[in-house]
Amino acid sequence: MKKILVLTGGGDCPGLNAVIRGIVKRATHEKDVEVYGSIEAYNGLLRNPQEIIPLTNENVAGIHVKGGTILGTTTKGGPFGFPTQDADGKWFMKDRSKETVEMIRDMGFHCVISIGGDGSQSISQRLFEMGMPVVGVPKTIDNDLSATDYTFGFQTAVQEATDAVDKLVSTAESHHRVIILEVMGRSAGWIALHAAIAGGAELCLIPEIPYDIDKVKQRIESRYNEGRGFVNIVLAEGAKPKDGTITSKASDEIGYKNLRLGGVAYQLSQQLKEIDCKADIREMVLGHLQRGGTPNAFDRVLATQYGVKALELAINSEFGQMVAFKNNSICSVSLKEATAAYNNVDPDCYLVQAAKGIGISFGD
Ligand code: F6P
């Protein structure tokens, strides 16, 4: 019997459940495969008592249309830094990686399928190097993993951001305002770039192209001078001015290592006022609306293929691999390659050129 343990780690993302369902449904074609899920990533394995549930055709039926993850997830630590309380109740991060590898072996798991973003896949690679059989599935709305053309969840997030631009265009036009829409993406501008093109924004500010605030003001003024009298700006949360830094804050949540981005829309608005931009400006931070809810059809299909492929890699003992979507086909790449480089927007890529071609300014 081959026992496979599935887990979802890092921020949630539309399509996680479709991957889980794909894994389980594909497994039913095999005589000797059983699938289990660990609740909240590795927590379910490492907690006492453990929280590991069997995944069957019955409990995954119809879940591909649901947002979130039926297994739960966490952004607070993992096997290499597990939030733990000492005798005085003080929290510290404990390295439980060796124990994790041993538990997987001793509990008779053939393989772990880890569904997660760059942070989760780096953990997968380190555990793989320590001898744990693992297969990765790339998830994140940010689309920032370089080994795959698309992560699932990205297209749904882009649609959510585009719907927001569409709504904001009509209110900006009615009031002759500048409206700044801040979207997620961490250090990558993919969501902003796609939503700006799809929604027809005048300005798109992304981390990969630091903006010059005077150029942003010039673009706004030229629109008002043309008599159009309103401007929509799509701003990536990781965008920064030339010679400036990104707006971020440390989190006080136990075990949460990432810097929290967000709020750059207010910073941009303030900068524009400081250089005497006369337009009325409103700001909108789209936030977690981009991550919640039903995955669109593209993400369901991609996630389902990832799930099926991940199960096939697992049963064929092709460990240390991550499933990927390259040149319109599903394949696999080594986790090492998958975690080597971040997928930033290339400022010279055709998508940026096309955006400029239709008059979108990047403030550069
Ligand atoms: O990586 C996905 C993402 O949604 C980023 O776009 C965003 O910066 C971050 O996660 C938000 O994380 P959290 O949900 O922990 O606040």
mmCIF file with all atom_site columns, all heavy atoms in Angstrom, residues 11-12 75 118 139-142 144 183-186 191 237 253 256 258-262 287-288 291, ligand 1:
data_model
loop_
_atom_site.group_PDB
_atom_site.id
_atom_site.type_symbol
_atom_site.label_atom_id
_atom_site.label_alt_id
_atom_site.label_comp_id
_atom_site.label_asym_id
_atom_site.label_entity_id
_atom_site.label_seq_id
_atom_site.pdbx_PDB_ins_code
_atom_site.Cartn_x
_atom_site.Cartn_y
_atom_site.Cartn_z
_atom_site.occupancy
_atom_site.B_iso_or_equiv
_atom_site.pdbx_formal_charge
_atom_site.auth_seq_id
_atom_site.auth_comp_id
_atom_site.auth_asym_id
_atom_site.auth_atom_id
_atom_site.pdbx_PDB_model_num
ATOM   1   N N   . GLY A 1 11  ? -0.155 31.191 2.388   1.00 0.00 ? 11  GLY A N   1
ATOM   2   C CA  . GLY A 1 11  ? -1.451 31.866 2.204   1.00 0.00 ? 11  GLY A CA  1
ATOM   3   C C   . GLY A 1 11  ? -2.390 31.051 1.340   1.00 0.00 ? 11  GLY A C   1
ATOM   4   O O   . GLY A 1 11  ? -1.949 30.331 0.444   1.00 0.00 ? 11  GLY A O   1
ATOM   5   N N   . ASP A 1 12  ? -3.682 31.116 1.602   1.00 0.00 ? 12  ASP A N   1
ATOM   6   C CA  . ASP A 1 12  ? -4.618 30.350 0.771   1.00 0.00 ? 12  ASP A CA  1
ATOM   7   C C   . ASP A 1 12  ? -4.742 30.986 -0.611  1.00 0.00 ? 12  ASP A C   1
ATOM   8   O O   . ASP A 1 12  ? -4.172 32.057 -0.863  1.00 0.00 ? 12  ASP A O   1
ATOM   9   C CB  . ASP A 1 12  ? -5.984 30.212 1.457   1.00 0.00 ? 12  ASP A CB  1
ATOM   10  C CG  . ASP A 1 12  ? -6.746 31.515 1.477   1.00 0.00 ? 12  ASP A CG  1
ATOM   11  O OD1 . ASP A 1 12  ? -6.137 32.575 1.245   1.00 0.00 ? 12  ASP A OD1 1
ATOM   12  O OD2 . ASP A 1 12  ? -7.966 31.491 1.722   1.00 0.00 ? 12  ASP A OD2 1
ATOM   13  N N   . THR A 1 75  ? 0.554  30.359 7.856   1.00 0.00 ? 75  THR A N   1
ATOM   14  C CA  . THR A 1 75  ? 1.714  31.144 7.419   1.00 0.00 ? 75  THR A CA  1
ATOM   15  C C   . THR A 1 75  ? 2.676  31.328 8.593   1.00 0.00 ? 75  THR A C   1
ATOM   16  O O   . THR A 1 75  ? 3.584  32.141 8.533   1.00 0.00 ? 75  THR A O   1
ATOM   17  C CB  . THR A 1 75  ? 1.252  32.532 6.919   1.00 0.00 ? 75  THR A CB  1
ATOM   18  O OG1 . THR A 1 75  ? 0.359  33.079 7.871   1.00 0.00 ? 75  THR A OG1 1
ATOM   19  C CG2 . THR A 1 75  ? 0.561  32.448 5.572   1.00 0.00 ? 75  THR A CG2 1
ATOM   20  N N   . ASP A 1 118 ? 6.425  29.875 -2.881  1.00 0.00 ? 118 ASP A N   1
ATOM   21  C CA  . ASP A 1 118 ? 7.889  29.774 -2.874  1.00 0.00 ? 118 ASP A CA  1
ATOM   22  C C   . ASP A 1 118 ? 8.431  29.375 -1.492  1.00 0.00 ? 118 ASP A C   1
ATOM   23  O O   . ASP A 1 118 ? 9.329  28.551 -1.393  1.00 0.00 ? 118 ASP A O   1
ATOM   24  C CB  . ASP A 1 118 ? 8.552  31.061 -3.406  1.00 0.00 ? 118 ASP A CB  1
ATOM   25  C CG  . ASP A 1 118 ? 8.144  32.298 -2.625  1.00 0.00 ? 118 ASP A CG  1
ATOM   26  O OD1 . ASP A 1 118 ? 7.118  32.249 -1.917  1.00 0.00 ? 118 ASP A OD1 1
ATOM   27  O OD2 . ASP A 1 118 ? 8.859  33.314 -2.732  1.00 0.00 ? 118 ASP A OD2 1
ATOM   28  N N   . LYS A 1 139 ? 1.467  27.010 -5.804  1.00 0.00 ? 139 LYS A N   1
ATOM   29  C CA  . LYS A 1 139 ? 0.255  27.837 -5.645  1.00 0.00 ? 139 LYS A CA  1
ATOM   30  C C   . LYS A 1 139 ? 0.658  29.233 -5.229  1.00 0.00 ? 139 LYS A C   1
ATOM   31  O O   . LYS A 1 139 ? 1.627  29.403 -4.495  1.00 0.00 ? 139 LYS A O   1
ATOM   32  C CB  . LYS A 1 139 ? -0.703 27.208 -4.686  1.00 0.00 ? 139 LYS A CB  1
ATOM   33  C CG  . LYS A 1 139 ? -0.631 27.351 -3.171  1.00 0.00 ? 139 LYS A CG  1
ATOM   34  C CD  . LYS A 1 139 ? -0.846 28.606 -2.464  1.00 0.00 ? 139 LYS A CD  1
ATOM   35  C CE  . LYS A 1 139 ? 0.387  29.079 -1.750  1.00 0.00 ? 139 LYS A CE  1
ATOM   36  N NZ  . LYS A 1 139 ? 0.198  30.078 -0.737  1.00 0.00 ? 139 LYS A NZ  1
ATOM   37  N N   . THR A 1 140 ? 0.032  30.201 -5.715  1.00 0.00 ? 140 THR A N   1
ATOM   38  C CA  . THR A 1 140 ? 0.078  31.555 -5.200  1.00 0.00 ? 140 THR A CA  1
ATOM   39  C C   . THR A 1 140 ? -0.614 32.471 -6.200  1.00 0.00 ? 140 THR A C   1
ATOM   40  O O   . THR A 1 140 ? -0.467 32.306 -7.414  1.00 0.00 ? 140 THR A O   1
ATOM   41  C CB  . THR A 1 140 ? 1.496  32.100 -4.941  1.00 0.00 ? 140 THR A CB  1
ATOM   42  O OG1 . THR A 1 140 ? 1.423  33.510 -4.727  1.00 0.00 ? 140 THR A OG1 1
ATOM   43  C CG2 . THR A 1 140 ? 2.458  31.848 -6.085  1.00 0.00 ? 140 THR A CG2 1
ATOM   44  N N   . ILE A 1 141 ? -1.355 33.428 -5.660  1.00 0.00 ? 141 ILE A N   1
ATOM   45  C CA  . ILE A 1 141 ? -1.973 34.411 -6.558  1.00 0.00 ? 141 ILE A CA  1
ATOM   46  C C   . ILE A 1 141 ? -0.915 35.310 -7.175  1.00 0.00 ? 141 ILE A C   1
ATOM   47  O O   . ILE A 1 141 ? -1.154 35.963 -8.169  1.00 0.00 ? 141 ILE A O   1
ATOM   48  C CB  . ILE A 1 141 ? -3.023 35.279 -5.829  1.00 0.00 ? 141 ILE A CB  1
ATOM   49  C CG1 . ILE A 1 141 ? -2.388 36.103 -4.696  1.00 0.00 ? 141 ILE A CG1 1
ATOM   50  C CG2 . ILE A 1 141 ? -4.180 34.446 -5.329  1.00 0.00 ? 141 ILE A CG2 1
ATOM   51  C CD1 . ILE A 1 141 ? -3.292 37.228 -4.185  1.00 0.00 ? 141 ILE A CD1 1
ATOM   52  N N   . ASP A 1 142 ? 0.296  35.346 -6.588  1.00 0.00 ? 142 ASP A N   1
ATOM   53  C CA  . ASP A 1 142 ? 1.313  36.311 -7.029  1.00 0.00 ? 142 ASP A CA  1
ATOM   54  C C   . ASP A 1 142 ? 1.990  35.912 -8.342  1.00 0.00 ? 142 ASP A C   1
ATOM   55  O O   . ASP A 1 142 ? 2.643  36.743 -8.970  1.00 0.00 ? 142 ASP A O   1
ATOM   56  C CB  . ASP A 1 142 ? 2.401  36.460 -5.953  1.00 0.00 ? 142 ASP A CB  1
ATOM   57  C CG  . ASP A 1 142 ? 1.852  36.874 -4.607  1.00 0.00 ? 142 ASP A CG  1
ATOM   58  O OD1 . ASP A 1 142 ? 0.757  37.463 -4.565  1.00 0.00 ? 142 ASP A OD1 1
ATOM   59  O OD2 . ASP A 1 142 ? 2.507  36.588 -3.592  1.00 0.00 ? 142 ASP A OD2 1
ATOM   60  N N   . ASP A 1 144 ? 4.648  34.239 -8.772  1.00 0.00 ? 144 ASP A N   1
ATOM   61  C CA  . ASP A 1 144 ? 6.055  34.625 -8.665  1.00 0.00 ? 144 ASP A CA  1
ATOM   62  C C   . ASP A 1 144 ? 7.031  33.453 -8.621  1.00 0.00 ? 144 ASP A C   1
ATOM   63  O O   . ASP A 1 144 ? 8.174  33.603 -8.202  1.00 0.00 ? 144 ASP A O   1
ATOM   64  C CB  . ASP A 1 144 ? 6.260  35.537 -7.446  1.00 0.00 ? 144 ASP A CB  1
ATOM   65  C CG  . ASP A 1 144 ? 5.776  34.901 -6.149  1.00 0.00 ? 144 ASP A CG  1
ATOM   66  O OD1 . ASP A 1 144 ? 5.312  33.749 -6.174  1.00 0.00 ? 144 ASP A OD1 1
ATOM   67  O OD2 . ASP A 1 144 ? 5.845  35.570 -5.103  1.00 0.00 ? 144 ASP A OD2 1
ATOM   68  N N   . VAL A 1 183 ? -3.242 46.541 -5.443  1.00 0.00 ? 183 VAL A N   1
ATOM   69  C CA  . VAL A 1 183 ? -3.477 45.096 -5.551  1.00 0.00 ? 183 VAL A CA  1
ATOM   70  C C   . VAL A 1 183 ? -2.305 44.333 -4.941  1.00 0.00 ? 183 VAL A C   1
ATOM   71  O O   . VAL A 1 183 ? -1.230 44.891 -4.731  1.00 0.00 ? 183 VAL A O   1
ATOM   72  C CB  . VAL A 1 183 ? -3.706 44.660 -7.025  1.00 0.00 ? 183 VAL A CB  1
ATOM   73  C CG1 . VAL A 1 183 ? -4.940 45.344 -7.617  1.00 0.00 ? 183 VAL A CG1 1
ATOM   74  C CG2 . VAL A 1 183 ? -2.476 44.904 -7.892  1.00 0.00 ? 183 VAL A CG2 1
ATOM   75  N N   . MET A 1 184 ? -2.519 43.055 -4.676  1.00 0.00 ? 184 MET A N   1
ATOM   76  C CA  . MET A 1 184 ? -1.480 42.223 -4.056  1.00 0.00 ? 184 MET A CA  1
ATOM   77  C C   . MET A 1 184 ? -0.430 41.797 -5.081  1.00 0.00 ? 184 MET A C   1
ATOM   78  O O   . MET A 1 184 ? -0.490 42.190 -6.245  1.00 0.00 ? 184 MET A O   1
ATOM   79  C CB  . MET A 1 184 ? -2.117 41.001 -3.409  1.00 0.00 ? 184 MET A CB  1
ATOM   80  C CG  . MET A 1 184 ? -2.780 41.286 -2.082  1.00 0.00 ? 184 MET A CG  1
ATOM   81  S SD  . MET A 1 184 ? -3.398 39.751 -1.353  1.00 0.00 ? 184 MET A SD  1
ATOM   82  C CE  . MET A 1 184 ? -3.719 40.300 0.327   1.00 0.00 ? 184 MET A CE  1
ATOM   83  N N   . GLY A 1 185 ? 0.502  40.949 -4.644  1.00 0.00 ? 185 GLY A N   1
ATOM   84  C CA  . GLY A 1 185 ? 1.531  40.440 -5.552  1.00 0.00 ? 185 GLY A CA  1
ATOM   85  C C   . GLY A 1 185 ? 2.917  40.359 -4.958  1.00 0.00 ? 185 GLY A C   1
ATOM   86  O O   . GLY A 1 185 ? 3.856  39.932 -5.614  1.00 0.00 ? 185 GLY A O   1
ATOM   87  N N   . ARG A 1 186 ? 3.057  40.820 -3.716  1.00 0.00 ? 186 ARG A N   1
ATOM   88  C CA  . ARG A 1 186 ? 4.355  40.914 -3.044  1.00 0.00 ? 186 ARG A CA  1
ATOM   89  C C   . ARG A 1 186 ? 5.371  41.641 -3.937  1.00 0.00 ? 186 ARG A C   1
ATOM   90  O O   . ARG A 1 186 ? 5.068  42.719 -4.399  1.00 0.00 ? 186 ARG A O   1
ATOM   91  C CB  . ARG A 1 186 ? 4.872  39.535 -2.610  1.00 0.00 ? 186 ARG A CB  1
ATOM   92  C CG  . ARG A 1 186 ? 4.018  38.904 -1.528  1.00 0.00 ? 186 ARG A CG  1
ATOM   93  C CD  . ARG A 1 186 ? 4.751  37.863 -0.741  1.00 0.00 ? 186 ARG A CD  1
ATOM   94  N NE  . ARG A 1 186 ? 5.691  38.460 0.180   1.00 0.00 ? 186 ARG A NE  1
ATOM   95  C CZ  . ARG A 1 186 ? 5.365  38.975 1.372   1.00 0.00 ? 186 ARG A CZ  1
ATOM   96  N NH1 . ARG A 1 186 ? 4.114  38.950 1.774   1.00 0.00 ? 186 ARG A NH1 1
ATOM   97  N NH2 . ARG A 1 186 ? 6.267  39.499 2.151   1.00 0.00 ? 186 ARG A NH2 1
ATOM   98  N N   . ILE A 1 191 ? -0.086 40.792 -11.066 1.00 0.00 ? 191 ILE A N   1
ATOM   99  C CA  . ILE A 1 191 ? -1.533 41.052 -10.929 1.00 0.00 ? 191 ILE A CA  1
ATOM   100 C C   . ILE A 1 191 ? -1.828 42.474 -11.402 1.00 0.00 ? 191 ILE A C   1
ATOM   101 O O   . ILE A 1 191 ? -2.762 42.712 -12.185 1.00 0.00 ? 191 ILE A O   1
ATOM   102 C CB  . ILE A 1 191 ? -2.011 40.852 -9.475  1.00 0.00 ? 191 ILE A CB  1
ATOM   103 C CG1 . ILE A 1 191 ? -1.791 39.403 -9.028  1.00 0.00 ? 191 ILE A CG1 1
ATOM   104 C CG2 . ILE A 1 191 ? -3.487 41.235 -9.325  1.00 0.00 ? 191 ILE A CG2 1
ATOM   105 C CD1 . ILE A 1 191 ? -2.130 39.133 -7.559  1.00 0.00 ? 191 ILE A CD1 1
ATOM   106 N N   . GLU A 1 237 ? 1.205  46.291 -4.547  1.00 0.00 ? 237 GLU A N   1
ATOM   107 C CA  . GLU A 1 237 ? 1.533  46.564 -3.133  1.00 0.00 ? 237 GLU A CA  1
ATOM   108 C C   . GLU A 1 237 ? 3.034  46.679 -2.886  1.00 0.00 ? 237 GLU A C   1
ATOM   109 O O   . GLU A 1 237 ? 3.467  47.299 -1.925  1.00 0.00 ? 237 GLU A O   1
ATOM   110 C CB  . GLU A 1 237 ? 0.942  45.474 -2.225  1.00 0.00 ? 237 GLU A CB  1
ATOM   111 C CG  . GLU A 1 237 ? 1.519  44.086 -2.498  1.00 0.00 ? 237 GLU A CG  1
ATOM   112 C CD  . GLU A 1 237 ? 0.970  42.984 -1.596  1.00 0.00 ? 237 GLU A CD  1
ATOM   113 O OE1 . GLU A 1 237 ? 0.124  43.264 -0.743  1.00 0.00 ? 237 GLU A OE1 1
ATOM   114 O OE2 . GLU A 1 237 ? 1.415  41.829 -1.767  1.00 0.00 ? 237 GLU A OE2 1
ATOM   115 N N   . GLU A 1 253 ? 2.358  38.734 14.809  1.00 0.00 ? 253 GLU A N   1
ATOM   116 C CA  . GLU A 1 253 ? 1.763  37.408 14.977  1.00 0.00 ? 253 GLU A CA  1
ATOM   117 C C   . GLU A 1 253 ? 2.884  36.391 15.231  1.00 0.00 ? 253 GLU A C   1
ATOM   118 O O   . GLU A 1 253 ? 3.908  36.424 14.549  1.00 0.00 ? 253 GLU A O   1
ATOM   119 C CB  . GLU A 1 253 ? 0.991  37.011 13.710  1.00 0.00 ? 253 GLU A CB  1
ATOM   120 C CG  . GLU A 1 253 ? -0.219 37.900 13.451  1.00 0.00 ? 253 GLU A CG  1
ATOM   121 C CD  . GLU A 1 253 ? -0.794 37.721 12.042  1.00 0.00 ? 253 GLU A CD  1
ATOM   122 O OE1 . GLU A 1 253 ? -0.486 36.718 11.369  1.00 0.00 ? 253 GLU A OE1 1
ATOM   123 O OE2 . GLU A 1 253 ? -1.541 38.612 11.602  1.00 0.00 ? 253 GLU A OE2 1
ATOM   124 N N   . TYR A 1 256 ? 5.069  34.429 12.419  1.00 0.00 ? 256 TYR A N   1
ATOM   125 C CA  . TYR A 1 256 ? 4.842  35.002 11.082  1.00 0.00 ? 256 TYR A CA  1
ATOM   126 C C   . TYR A 1 256 ? 6.100  35.757 10.674  1.00 0.00 ? 256 TYR A C   1
ATOM   127 O O   . TYR A 1 256 ? 6.445  36.778 11.264  1.00 0.00 ? 256 TYR A O   1
ATOM   128 C CB  . TYR A 1 256 ? 3.642  35.948 11.138  1.00 0.00 ? 256 TYR A CB  1
ATOM   129 C CG  . TYR A 1 256 ? 3.146  36.455 9.791   1.00 0.00 ? 256 TYR A CG  1
ATOM   130 C CD1 . TYR A 1 256 ? 2.000  35.912 9.219   1.00 0.00 ? 256 TYR A CD1 1
ATOM   131 C CD2 . TYR A 1 256 ? 3.807  37.468 9.103   1.00 0.00 ? 256 TYR A CD2 1
ATOM   132 C CE1 . TYR A 1 256 ? 1.520  36.377 8.000   1.00 0.00 ? 256 TYR A CE1 1
ATOM   133 C CE2 . TYR A 1 256 ? 3.343  37.930 7.887   1.00 0.00 ? 256 TYR A CE2 1
ATOM   134 C CZ  . TYR A 1 256 ? 2.197  37.384 7.341   1.00 0.00 ? 256 TYR A CZ  1
ATOM   135 O OH  . TYR A 1 256 ? 1.717  37.842 6.144   1.00 0.00 ? 256 TYR A OH  1
ATOM   136 N N   . ASN A 1 258 ? 7.039  36.766 7.347   1.00 0.00 ? 258 ASN A N   1
ATOM   137 C CA  . ASN A 1 258 ? 7.001  37.689 6.207   1.00 0.00 ? 258 ASN A CA  1
ATOM   138 C C   . ASN A 1 258 ? 6.754  39.124 6.657   1.00 0.00 ? 258 ASN A C   1
ATOM   139 O O   . ASN A 1 258 ? 6.069  39.357 7.644   1.00 0.00 ? 258 ASN A O   1
ATOM   140 C CB  . ASN A 1 258 ? 5.851  37.318 5.253   1.00 0.00 ? 258 ASN A CB  1
ATOM   141 C CG  . ASN A 1 258 ? 6.107  36.010 4.564   1.00 0.00 ? 258 ASN A CG  1
ATOM   142 O OD1 . ASN A 1 258 ? 7.248  35.599 4.429   1.00 0.00 ? 258 ASN A OD1 1
ATOM   143 N ND2 . ASN A 1 258 ? 5.046  35.348 4.138   1.00 0.00 ? 258 ASN A ND2 1
ATOM   144 N N   . LEU A 1 259 ? 7.294  40.039 5.891   1.00 0.00 ? 259 LEU A N   1
ATOM   145 C CA  . LEU A 1 259 ? 6.929  41.432 6.101   1.00 0.00 ? 259 LEU A CA  1
ATOM   146 C C   . LEU A 1 259 ? 5.534  41.618 5.517   1.00 0.00 ? 259 LEU A C   1
ATOM   147 O O   . LEU A 1 259 ? 5.225  41.064 4.471   1.00 0.00 ? 259 LEU A O   1
ATOM   148 C CB  . LEU A 1 259 ? 7.900  42.338 5.353   1.00 0.00 ? 259 LEU A CB  1
ATOM   149 C CG  . LEU A 1 259 ? 9.202  42.665 6.072   1.00 0.00 ? 259 LEU A CG  1
ATOM   150 C CD1 . LEU A 1 259 ? 10.061 43.532 5.196   1.00 0.00 ? 259 LEU A CD1 1
ATOM   151 C CD2 . LEU A 1 259 ? 8.939  43.353 7.414   1.00 0.00 ? 259 LEU A CD2 1
ATOM   152 N N   . ARG A 1 260 ? 4.692  42.366 6.191   1.00 0.00 ? 260 ARG A N   1
ATOM   153 C CA  . ARG A 1 260 ? 3.355  42.602 5.642   1.00 0.00 ? 260 ARG A CA  1
ATOM   154 C C   . ARG A 1 260 ? 3.377  43.844 4.767   1.00 0.00 ? 260 ARG A C   1
ATOM   155 O O   . ARG A 1 260 ? 3.764  44.923 5.208   1.00 0.00 ? 260 ARG A O   1
ATOM   156 C CB  . ARG A 1 260 ? 2.337  42.778 6.779   1.00 0.00 ? 260 ARG A CB  1
ATOM   157 C CG  . ARG A 1 260 ? 2.033  41.451 7.473   1.00 0.00 ? 260 ARG A CG  1
ATOM   158 C CD  . ARG A 1 260 ? 0.858  41.595 8.394   1.00 0.00 ? 260 ARG A CD  1
ATOM   159 N NE  . ARG A 1 260 ? -0.335 41.979 7.648   1.00 0.00 ? 260 ARG A NE  1
ATOM   160 C CZ  . ARG A 1 260 ? -1.442 42.437 8.221   1.00 0.00 ? 260 ARG A CZ  1
ATOM   161 N NH1 . ARG A 1 260 ? -1.510 42.574 9.510   1.00 0.00 ? 260 ARG A NH1 1
ATOM   162 N NH2 . ARG A 1 260 ? -2.482 42.762 7.485   1.00 0.00 ? 260 ARG A NH2 1
ATOM   163 N N   . LEU A 1 261 ? 3.011  43.655 3.512   1.00 0.00 ? 261 LEU A N   1
ATOM   164 C CA  . LEU A 1 261 ? 2.927  44.789 2.601   1.00 0.00 ? 261 LEU A CA  1
ATOM   165 C C   . LEU A 1 261 ? 1.521  45.374 2.705   1.00 0.00 ? 261 LEU A C   1
ATOM   166 O O   . LEU A 1 261 ? 0.632  44.794 3.306   1.00 0.00 ? 261 LEU A O   1
ATOM   167 C CB  . LEU A 1 261 ? 3.206  44.343 1.167   1.00 0.00 ? 261 LEU A CB  1
ATOM   168 C CG  . LEU A 1 261 ? 4.569  43.673 0.928   1.00 0.00 ? 261 LEU A CG  1
ATOM   169 C CD1 . LEU A 1 261 ? 4.731  43.344 -0.550  1.00 0.00 ? 261 LEU A CD1 1
ATOM   170 C CD2 . LEU A 1 261 ? 5.695  44.570 1.372   1.00 0.00 ? 261 LEU A CD2 1
ATOM   171 N N   . GLY A 1 262 ? 1.327  46.496 2.041   1.00 0.00 ? 262 GLY A N   1
ATOM   172 C CA  . GLY A 1 262 ? -0.021 47.076 2.042   1.00 0.00 ? 262 GLY A CA  1
ATOM   173 C C   . GLY A 1 262 ? 0.002  48.505 2.546   1.00 0.00 ? 262 GLY A C   1
ATOM   174 O O   . GLY A 1 262 ? 0.794  48.848 3.437   1.00 0.00 ? 262 GLY A O   1
ATOM   175 N N   . GLY A 1 287 ? -6.898 44.061 -1.185  1.00 0.00 ? 287 GLY A N   1
ATOM   176 C CA  . GLY A 1 287 ? -6.608 43.090 -0.128  1.00 0.00 ? 287 GLY A CA  1
ATOM   177 C C   . GLY A 1 287 ? -7.047 41.661 -0.409  1.00 0.00 ? 287 GLY A C   1
ATOM   178 O O   . GLY A 1 287 ? -6.964 41.178 -1.537  1.00 0.00 ? 287 GLY A O   1
ATOM   179 N N   . HIS A 1 288 ? -7.550 41.013 0.629   1.00 0.00 ? 288 HIS A N   1
ATOM   180 C CA  . HIS A 1 288 ? -7.796 39.565 0.564   1.00 0.00 ? 288 HIS A CA  1
ATOM   181 C C   . HIS A 1 288 ? -8.992 39.177 -0.280  1.00 0.00 ? 288 HIS A C   1
ATOM   182 O O   . HIS A 1 288 ? -9.226 37.974 -0.484  1.00 0.00 ? 288 HIS A O   1
ATOM   183 C CB  . HIS A 1 288 ? -7.912 39.007 1.983   1.00 0.00 ? 288 HIS A CB  1
ATOM   184 C CG  . HIS A 1 288 ? -6.589 39.017 2.694   1.00 0.00 ? 288 HIS A CG  1
ATOM   185 N ND1 . HIS A 1 288 ? -6.071 40.162 3.250   1.00 0.00 ? 288 HIS A ND1 1
ATOM   186 C CD2 . HIS A 1 288 ? -5.667 38.049 2.870   1.00 0.00 ? 288 HIS A CD2 1
ATOM   187 C CE1 . HIS A 1 288 ? -4.882 39.887 3.762   1.00 0.00 ? 288 HIS A CE1 1
ATOM   188 N NE2 . HIS A 1 288 ? -4.612 38.613 3.554   1.00 0.00 ? 288 HIS A NE2 1
ATOM   189 N N   . ARG A 1 291 ? -7.952 36.865 -2.855  1.00 0.00 ? 291 ARG A N   1
ATOM   190 C CA  . ARG A 1 291 ? -7.552 35.495 -2.524  1.00 0.00 ? 291 ARG A CA  1
ATOM   191 C C   . ARG A 1 291 ? -8.723 34.588 -2.196  1.00 0.00 ? 291 ARG A C   1
ATOM   192 O O   . ARG A 1 291 ? -8.602 33.367 -2.265  1.00 0.00 ? 291 ARG A O   1
ATOM   193 C CB  . ARG A 1 291 ? -6.626 35.537 -1.303  1.00 0.00 ? 291 ARG A CB  1
ATOM   194 C CG  . ARG A 1 291 ? -5.244 35.943 -1.621  1.00 0.00 ? 291 ARG A CG  1
ATOM   195 C CD  . ARG A 1 291 ? -4.190 35.206 -0.863  1.00 0.00 ? 291 ARG A CD  1
ATOM   196 N NE  . ARG A 1 291 ? -4.476 34.770 0.464   1.00 0.00 ? 291 ARG A NE  1
ATOM   197 C CZ  . ARG A 1 291 ? -3.723 35.074 1.531   1.00 0.00 ? 291 ARG A CZ  1
ATOM   198 N NH1 . ARG A 1 291 ? -2.697 35.876 1.399   1.00 0.00 ? 291 ARG A NH1 1
ATOM   199 N NH2 . ARG A 1 291 ? -4.009 34.580 2.696   1.00 0.00 ? 291 ARG A NH2 1
HETATM 200 O O1  . F6P B 2 .   ? 1.579  35.681 -1.310  1.00 0.00 ? 1   F6P B O1  1
HETATM 201 C C1  . F6P B 2 .   ? 0.209  35.871 -1.405  1.00 0.00 ? 1   F6P B C1  1
HETATM 202 C C2  . F6P B 2 .   ? -0.204 37.129 -0.700  1.00 0.00 ? 1   F6P B C2  1
HETATM 203 O O2  . F6P B 2 .   ? -1.602 37.290 -0.837  1.00 0.00 ? 1   F6P B O2  1
HETATM 204 C C3  . F6P B 2 .   ? 0.530  38.396 -1.133  1.00 0.00 ? 1   F6P B C3  1
HETATM 205 O O3  . F6P B 2 .   ? 0.075  38.886 -2.349  1.00 0.00 ? 1   F6P B O3  1
HETATM 206 C C4  . F6P B 2 .   ? 0.296  39.284 0.066   1.00 0.00 ? 1   F6P B C4  1
HETATM 207 O O4  . F6P B 2 .   ? 1.314  40.264 0.214   1.00 0.00 ? 1   F6P B O4  1
HETATM 208 C C5  . F6P B 2 .   ? 0.349  38.319 1.214   1.00 0.00 ? 1   F6P B C5  1
HETATM 209 O O5  . F6P B 2 .   ? 0.068  37.037 0.687   1.00 0.00 ? 1   F6P B O5  1
HETATM 210 C C6  . F6P B 2 .   ? -0.616 38.617 2.328   1.00 0.00 ? 1   F6P B C6  1
HETATM 211 O O6  . F6P B 2 .   ? -0.382 37.718 3.341   1.00 0.00 ? 1   F6P B O6  1
HETATM 212 P P1  . F6P B 2 .   ? -1.312 37.545 4.622   1.00 0.00 ? 1   F6P B P1  1
HETATM 213 O O7  . F6P B 2 .   ? -2.572 36.867 4.176   1.00 0.00 ? 1   F6P B O7  1
HETATM 214 O O8  . F6P B 2 .   ? -0.520 36.698 5.511   1.00 0.00 ? 1   F6P B O8  1
HETATM 215 O O9  . F6P B 2 .   ? -1.583 38.905 5.151   1.00 0.00 ? 1   F6P B O9  1
#
